[in-house]
Amino acid sequence: MKTSEFKGFYKLSPEQRLAEVAKFSDLTQAEVDLLSTSSALDIHAADHMIENVFSIMPLPMGVAVNFKINDKDYLIPMAVEEPSVVAAASNAARMARVKGGYFTSNTGPIMRAQIQIVNVADPYAARLKLFEAREKLMEIANSKDPMLISLGGGMKDLEVHIIPSPLGDMVIMHLIADTRDAMGANTVNTMAEALAPHIEQITGGRVYLRILSNLADLRLVRVRAVIDKEALGGEEVVDGIVWAYTFAAVDPYRAATHNKGIMNGIIPVVTATGNDTRAIEAGAHAYAARNGRYTSLTTWEKNSDGDLVGTIEIPMAVGLVGGATKVHPIARLAVKILGVKSAVELGEVIAAVGLAQNMAALRALATEGIQRGHMSLHARNVAVAAGATPDIIDTVVAAMVKERKVRQDYAEELVKQLKG
Ligand code: MEV
């Protein structure tokens, strides 16, 4: 059986790590070659992705190890500029393995689009007229994408909300669609635009906006894990993490930072797979505020055995088809390395990384603080920026950490000394 569990993975060279990833994910030599170049995205391909392209911004891509999710092992590519993120996720996943890893569920790949209808004389009657036209509207929306219908997707329902506003009552129709393995923005936006004239006719109002909602609360993924108290460092650490979580649960100032730590795990996988990071951020934070007060996206409790139990529930509008995921060669390979078979599976893996990342941060914060671990990794960046060459990086880092002086000026001084 394939295992993602590694000891001392961090001690390998990038080439050795790539060889391990290639073995795990059955990569071809051509795929390995592509992953070894720092310019795998051709400038002309990039030019077709966005406008005014003049260069490419490469990011380091690490791989998180040790993840077991629903009894399946994953190696997880993470593209991110922040040190310590990949190490922390891998470390947390190793602790979670003791009690079986991560367990998931989801609400399916269901997206909402909103259609804003104004100047309706009788909004309550208009609401019911839209419900009466439900089948007809679904038929029109579903005529737009026969492929999606053949895969079991398509518009499935509608909701109608009447929302008072300073300009008068607005009738807001929500188009609810199953977008299968697509992120779904294009799918639901096309459907919403196609329905607009029919909706104007039905309601007698004027349609303005026709656009998806990033508050993808019908596209939730849920992940749960039990973390063995001994693996964590004892029951005192469990209590510390529960206190740390409770702080975020009741205080929006802390919740913002707590959730940022979750996004430290989530966004790098979203980036690596070519998905829309802004959509994920918007959905996550809007969901965290859904009850009128911004709060934690995770929960942490102590179970009757004294172990730590964590959960996350988060909107996850990611896709495997369409967008950069299929166009960007590295994003395609990231999906292959993950070995995910559906957008929903990808979403669950991403949320598991978020939960792991959150646990790692809370554990550090509730015990020794994050600076010691963070600083030794940060020190590498400082050393490189100060001109340390590969032969002296480790020495410069060790000296800065030992002296607790992780600073550019001190690094420059050390480099000067070492280079004689
Ligand atoms: C740093 O990037 C993330 C943390 O601040 C998260 C947290 O405070 O929970 C460590």
Side-chain angles (χ1 to χ4, degrees):
M1 258 255 295
K2 270 204 305 204
T3 178
S4 64
E5 194 171 21
F6 284 93
K7 281 210 170 64
F9 195 78
Y10 68 97
K11 291 185 191 150
L12 303 180
S13 67
E15 293 76 19
Q16 289 169 323
R17 293 188 199 115
L18 176 53
E20 291 295 344
V21 170
K23 199 158 40 155
F24 183 90
S25 304
D26 294 325
L27 301 184
T28 64
Q29 190 54 47
E31 289 169 337
V32 170
D33 292 344
L34 198 62
L35 286 163
S36 327
T37 63
S38 59
S39 58
L41 179 63
D42 173 67
I43 190 82
H44 300 290
D47 196 28
H48 290 296
M49 289 175 74
I50 64 164
E51 308 72 44
N52 294 0
V53 167
F54 72 102
S55 185
I56 284 164
M57 163 72 183
L59 269 180
M61 185 154 77
V63 57
V65 296
N66 302 331
F67 274 86
K68 187 189 268 297
I69 304 169
N70 300 328
D71 252 344
K72 177 174 166 187
D73 276 53
Y74 292 87
L75 288 182
I76 304 181
M78 299 177 78
V80 63
E81 89 300 342
E82 185 172 331
S84 89
V85 163
V86 180
S90 304
N91 204 18
R94 183 179 48 75
M95 293 178 199
R97 280 183 90 89
V98 178
K99 298 263 158 152
Y102 299 89
F103 300 92
T104 72
S105 55
N106 68 78
T107 58
I110 310 290
M111 294 296 283
R112 291 176 187 271
Q114 296 185 293
I115 299 165
Q116 178 197 26
I117 316 150
V118 305
N119 298 339
V120 180
D122 47 358
Y124 290 90
R127 177 171 175 268
L128 295 205
K129 283 187 207 163
L130 287 170
F131 284 129
E132 288 158 30
R134 180 176 175 275
E135 302 307 318
K136 181 79 200 148
L137 291 172
M138 293 204 333
E139 198 181 302
I140 298 163
N142 286 336
S143 68
K144 294 286 141 198
D145 193 343
M147 180 68 169
L148 180 66
I149 310 307
S150 74
L151 295 169
M155 180 174 169
K156 301 289 181 193
D157 205 357
L158 59 83
E159 289 176 8
V160 190
H161 305 263
I162 297 170
I163 307 186
S165 85
L167 299 181
D169 282 348
M170 294 186 294
V171 180
I172 308 295
M173 190 186 115
H174 286 199
L175 177 167
I176 314 284
D178 182 326
T179 64
R180 300 279 87 197
D181 282 335
M183 182 274 188
N186 282 332
T187 311
V188 296
N189 292 344
T190 304
M191 287 177 175
E193 289 187 7
L195 290 190
H198 303 277
I199 288 172
E200 285 187 336
Q201 211 171 28
I202 293 165
T203 61
R206 158 96 199 257
V207 168
Y208 277 104
L209 270 57
R210 299 138 290 163
I211 187 75
L212 93 165
S213 171
N214 285 120
L215 175 47
D217 60 354
L218 299 174
R219 195 174 191 164
L220 300 174
V221 288
R222 302 185 176 108
V223 183
R224 174 180 68 80
V226 178
I227 322 290
D228 180 79
K229 58 177 180 291
E230 300 310 333
L232 208 51
E235 208 157 332
E236 211 177 307
V237 181
V238 175
D239 291 337
I241 292 176
V242 174
W243 273 112
Y245 150 68
T246 305
F247 185 7
V250 299
D251 177 11
Y253 286 97
R254 173 57 206 153
T257 324
H258 174 101
N259 290 344
K260 190 275 183 185
I262 295 169
M263 301 320 272
N264 273 353
I266 287 179
I267 294 301
V269 193
V270 176
T271 305
T273 56
N275 275 287
D276 181 342
T277 56
R278 288 82 56 215
I280 298 303
E281 289 277 7
H285 297 296
Y287 194 66
R290 67 194 178 283
N291 294 324
R293 188 181 171 84
Y294 187 83
T295 188
S296 166
L297 286 161
T298 54
T299 67
W300 293 99
E301 314 163 279
K302 182 158 84 167
N303 71 10
S304 51
D305 296 330
D307 293 325
L308 181 71
V309 187
T311 71
I312 184 167
E313 180 176 281
I314 187 169
M316 196 51 71
V318 289
L320 289 181
V321 297
T325 307
K326 273 277 185 277
V327 176
H328 195 301
I330 298 297
R332 272 206 309 264
L333 286 178
V335 169
K336 179 165 178 187
I337 291 164
L338 280 162
V340 291
K341 298 285 174 280
S342 67
V344 161
E345 184 185 354
L346 173 61
E348 291 176 342
V349 169
I350 292 172
V353 182
L355 186 64
Q357 203 74 48
N358 184 223
M359 194 215 79
L362 298 188
R363 179 169 178 265
L365 288 166
T367 55
E368 63 174 12
I370 61 156
Q371 282 311 76
R372 202 169 71 91
H374 199 75
M375 273 308 174
S376 47
L377 291 163
H378 175 58
R380 296 194 78 77
N381 283 344
V382 175
V384 172
T389 42
D391 52 321
I392 58 166
I393 285 179
D394 287 343
T395 318
V396 175
V397 168
M400 283 195 290
V401 172
K402 183 156 173 270
E403 298 297 323
R404 293 184 177 263
K405 288 204 284 193
V406 183
R407 293 195 323 253
Q408 178 89 11
D409 59 328
Y410 187 49
E412 281 169 8
E413 197 183 308
L414 289 166
V415 169
K416 218 184 264 171
Q417 275 172 22
L418 287 162
K419 289 199 166 166

